[in-house]
Amino acid sequence: MGEFTDRLKGAANQTAGNLKQGSANERVREEGAAQEMKGKGQELKGRVKGVINSL
């Protein structure tokens, strides 16, 4: 995957995770927190790829 693909997927996962955290169901809220963290990792991965590619 490319830099921008990783960053877009990361942003999408963060948004979905934030929406799930607003749920009344505790299990869904926990799933949302995990999905948000996954998105942050994906976004970071994309940024690292960008830095490496610019060297």
Side-chain angles (χ1 to χ4, degrees):
M1 278 187 249
E3 168 191 357
F4 295 109
T5 305
D6 287 334
R7 292 180 75 179
L8 285 174
K9 285 186 176 187
N13 273 320
Q14 285 183 57
T15 301
N18 281 331
L19 289 173
K20 288 180 181 180
Q21 288 180 35
S23 172
N25 186 326
E26 183 178 346
R27 184 174 176 193
V28 174
R29 285 194 309 263
E30 291 173 358
E31 184 181 305
Q35 189 169 7
E36 183 180 6
M37 291 305 293
K38 176 183 177 182
K40 288 180 181 182
Q42 286 174 317
E43 191 172 340
L44 178 62
K45 179 181 172 185
R47 289 179 187 215
V48 169
K49 281 184 179 181
V51 170
I52 290 172
N53 289 336
S54 68
L55 297 176

